[in-house]
Amino acid sequence: MALNREEIVEAAFTMLREGGLGGLSMRRLADELGVHAGALYYHVANKQELLVAVAGRILGGDDAANATEDPRRAAADLRGALLRVRDGAEVVSFALAFRPDSLTPLAGLHRLFDDRLEPQKAEWAAQTLVHYVLGYVADEQNRLELVRAEILPAGAAPVSPDRFLFGVDLILRGLDSEAAAP
């Protein structure tokens, strides 16, 4: 059976879920797939390109971009997707920095604000919401890692959807104020 890009991305995604970013290396991935590391580079140029592809997998692919018309729901869905994968926020943040236009599910979020803001501000609004979610989830995931490493006690990493949604609501009210401004 020939190796393909989808198998590589899926195996990397599984390794990330199980061991986090620190457990994902090209050598370990090749071992997991039963190939030499060089075979991976035929399908992905480097680890950075692999992480961009895995970030797309974390976000659920192209279909996730049109899942809702509600920005609050979109933020909660994004948080959920990131929390399902160890170091998910870090991987997606990296992918956004490395290839900003590569993550289709995030690139389409501006449409949630198109009806109330001019196009440039709709784009900025989407970026603001995404960066809030990434930062919030990165904090949650960092605390979970500290608990996992027994550096913090088990109760030190509470998951707080209410606190998260409070921040989302603040952002959305601010955007509504911006939209209402003359």
Side-chain angles (χ1 to χ4, degrees), residues 103-114:
L103 298 177
T104 306
L106 298 183
L109 285 179
H110 67 85
R111 71 180 167 64
L112 299 175
F113 304 102
D114 284 344

Side-chain angles (χ1 to χ4, degrees), residues 22 24-25 27 79-80 84 87 109 115 118 126 135 137 146-147 155:
L24 177 62
S25 72
R27 184 177 310 276
R79 177 177 175 260
R84 282 190 286 277
D87 297 326
L109 285 179
D115 62 338
E118 61 187 72
V137 174
L146 291 170
V147 168

Side-chain angles (χ1 to χ4, degrees), residues 86-178:
R86 203 163 158 186
D87 297 326
E90 187 175 350
V91 172
V92 171
S93 286
F94 169 79
L96 277 175
F98 187 62
R99 297 270 190 262
D101 297 327
S102 66
L103 298 177
T104 306
L106 298 183
L109 285 179
H110 67 85
R111 71 180 167 64
L112 299 175
F113 304 102
D114 284 344
D115 62 338
R116 51 185 151 171
L117 296 168
E118 61 187 72
Q120 182 65 64
K121 288 184 178 181
E123 183 68 34
W124 294 342
Q127 288 173 352
T128 299
L129 190 59
V130 166
H131 288 284
Y132 169 73
V133 176
L134 288 171
Y136 191 93
V137 174
D139 181 61
E140 284 183 292
Q141 290 182 323
N142 287 334
R143 287 181 178 280
L144 289 170
E145 287 301 317
L146 291 170
V147 168
R148 191 175 280 123
E150 298 180 354
I151 295 169
L152 290 177
V159 175
S160 178
D162 292 336
R163 185 173 64 169
F164 169 77
L165 289 172
F166 176 81
V168 170
D169 290 341
L170 282 176
I171 291 168
L172 295 177
R173 281 196 302 272
L175 293 171
D176 286 340
S177 294
E178 174 66 28

